Amino acid sequence: METRAAAIAITGGAGGIGSSLVRRLRTSGRRAVSLDLRPCPEATESYQLDISEESAVAMAFQRLDALAGLVCIAGTNMRGRVEELPWEDWRRVMAVNARGAMLAIKHASPRLEEGGSIVLVSSVSAHIGTDGYTAYHASKGAVLGLMRAASGEFAPRSIRVNAVSPGWVDTPFTDRALDETPDGEAVRAQAADAHILGRMAYPGEIAEAIAFLLSDEASFITGTELIADGGYLRKR
Amino acid sequence: MRGSGELAVAAITGAAGGIGRDVARAFANAGYNTALLDRNLPCLPEATQGISTAVDLTRPGEVAAAFDRIGCEFGKLDALVNLAGINHCSPVSRMDADDWDRMMDTNVGSMFLTAKHGIPLLERSVGPAIVNMASVSGHVASPDYPAYVATKAAVESFTIALSQEVGPRGIRVNAVAPGWVNAGFTDHAKSESEDPARLDEAARDAHLLGRMAEPSEVAAAVLWLCSSGASFVTGQTLFVDGGFMRKH
Ligand SMILES: NC(=O)c1ccc[n+]([C@@H]2O[C@H](COP(=O)([O-])OP(=O)(O)OC[C@H]3O[C@@H](n4cnc5c(N)ncnc54)[C@H](O)[C@@H]3O)[C@@H](O)[C@H]2O)c1
Ligand SMILES: NC(=O)c1ccc[n+]([C@@H]2O[C@H](COP(=O)([O-])OP(=O)(O)OC[C@H]3O[C@@H](n4cnc5c(N)ncnc54)[C@H](O)[C@@H]3O)[C@@H](O)[C@H]2O)c1
């Protein structure tokens, strides 16, 4: 992939996984465009927007040149059991995690070059449950479904569509979730144990998995989920 | 199906639909009192006990009111069956965001809302169960129906997450995933098609068993997942798909 000139657009480029990917791509000479609520100083271009708002997403992609790839990382989370979680919070999680990815694909589509690659970040959360996070789990399932359907839609243009599903990643996302968990520190202490590799992922390891799916090395991989979870789903 | 002499109550959404009608009938035949919910007022199966409510399941206030009524009428719930669903044809590159939201709210959000208001009633049952309608469509590269694929994949993840959340309270949560069913959506598709016979042919080809499911076959699976026979089954998706997922 190091030979292509076109840029990679990254939603959530300012976050833990996103900024790691931006650095990874820039190190190998690629242009990386960030679309995030927050600025991403390391990116070639950085757009500040809410990925769930179509007009903002449309405007940002209109200003971009050809894209070799799109990576949808922007994500959010709301805690509360089904009985307590307000409908607005449920819809917000769905809007950012699922609609946001859909909008990014929709508006990146005219910019994407033939032979390009789309990578969505789902999570092992699509396959498990954790108390108080049904909206997040459902949204990550939606991301997988979107990936599967889009792999069919984009195949005629030789654009591959895949997902990367991490277990726990050591980023601010995890810090925030643990902060609002009553026994957060105890959970953090056990987080390493939840993976057969005995630790959380470094954000750079998730960036590597994404970079692989973006690259031509993955030229026959589409419609699939790459679970990069240190064995989380196999641990009992 | 349920313990003898016990009054069993099942709430069924989408009960006015092609599959929903057969599910309502199956639960009624198994001795359940049924609370039928749909935006089109559902008909109670003849000679059965129950209530029927017209409700838009994407409106939190209407769902709350509908379950209040079930609580007043029956005082508890043994089964919550979420069948209400819609479809939308559009590739991602032309997707209207409002259509996307309507799909998400109807096919997944409604399950969140019925669980929200149904769980307190289910907690009063012995052996309560929730069954959500998924589909093989959640797993396939279906370029014209990305919103449907996304919602049905979300249903499976929601089912797993909810099973984890309410399992300690004794509530089981599962999903059924049919292939093509000879009712509802398939009828809509046939009525819009210039060549309905071709759809029948495609349906035959799509399944190892060489045919679509009858709605009663889906209903039987839903009923079983709610029965004591399934008392140790939770967090699963039961594919009632005639081998659709294994056919290539
Ligand atoms: N950290 C983990 O343990 C973990 C595990 C599995 C999956 N994930 C997924 O990885 C993705 C990123 O995680 P991270 O660990 O880098 O988190 P992070 O919080 O460090 O980064 C997320 C980024 O998304 C941005 N963002 C949030 N809402 C947005 C919106 N509405 N519009 C635009 N940008 C928005 C944030 O500003 C932030 O920069 C998320 O989709 C998350 O669900 C994380
Ligand atoms: N027919 C098939 O081939 C097939 C295959 C797999 C899965 N399914 C699923 O089975 C379920 C039932 O589908 P069906 O084939 O019987 O279709 P159907 O259209 O006959 O039934 C769906 C019912 O849901 C109701 N509904 C829709 N939106 C609603 C809302 N906002 N509030 C209240 N009610 C609402 C409709 O009024 C309708 O009665 C759906 O979830 C569908 O996705 C159908």
Side-chain angles (χ1 to χ4, degrees), chain A residues 54 81-85 87 90-91 99 102 105-106 126-132 134 137-138 141-142 145 148-149 151 153, chain B residues 58 60 91-93 95 97 100-101 105 109 112-113 116 119 138 141 143 146 149-150 153-154 157 160-162 164-165 169:
Chain A
E54 178 154 30
R81 284 191 173 163
V82 167
E83 299 97 301
E84 283 105 44
L85 189 76
W87 174 238
W90 167 277
R91 291 193 91 224
R99 189 216 290 159
M102 181 277 289
I105 299 174
K106 174 181 174 181
H127 309 287
I128 57 158
T130 43
D131 208 359
T134 52
H137 291 288
R148 292 174 189 140
S151 71
E153 177 175 344
Chain B
T58 65
V92 179
S93 27
M95 182 70 65
W100 174 272
D101 284 355
D105 288 348
F112 166 75
L113 289 173
K116 190 185 222 358
I119 285 167
V149 178
S157 293
I160 294 167
L162 190 63
Q164 196 274 354
E165 197 163 292
R169 288 174 269 168

Side-chain angles (χ1 to χ4, degrees), chain A residues 15-17 36 38 50-51 73 136 140 167 169 171 173-174 176:
Chain A
I17 297 171
D36 194 301
R38 302 178 297 145
D50 183 334
I51 200 67
I73 307 179
Y136 183 70
K140 290 300 179 179
V169 190
T171 70
F173 195 90
T174 298
R176 282 193 307 276

Side-chain angles (χ1 to χ4, degrees), chain A residues 79 131-133 176-188:
Chain A
R79 183 161 180 274
D131 208 359
Y133 290 104
R176 282 193 307 276
L178 290 176
D179 282 349
E180 58 180 35
T181 307
D183 48 354
E185 275 320 300
V187 176
R188 180 186 289 281

Side-chain angles (χ1 to χ4, degrees), chain A residues 16-22 24-25 71-73 119-124 140 163-171 174 195 197 199-214 226-231:
Chain A
I17 297 171
S19 61
S20 183
L21 179 65
V22 166
R24 165 73 175 73
L25 293 170
V71 185
C72 299
I73 307 179
V119 181
L120 308 184
V121 173
S122 179
S123 168
V124 294
K140 290 300 179 179
V164 170
S165 290
W168 293 69
V169 190
D170 199 357
T171 70
T174 298
H195 305 75
L197 292 184
R199 60 174 176 84
M200 293 193 214
Y202 308 118
E205 293 174 306
I206 305 308
E208 280 301 328
I210 296 169
F212 169 67
L213 290 173
L214 285 173
L226 173 50
I227 297 176
D229 71 345

Side-chain angles (χ1 to χ4, degrees), chain B residues 1 26-28 31 34 39 46 55 67 88 97 113 118 154 186 196 233 240:
Chain B
M1 283 281 164
F27 275 78
T34 54
R39 63 181 171 195
E46 305 150 26
V55 50
F67 280 82
H88 177 68
L113 289 173
T186 306
V233 180
V240 188

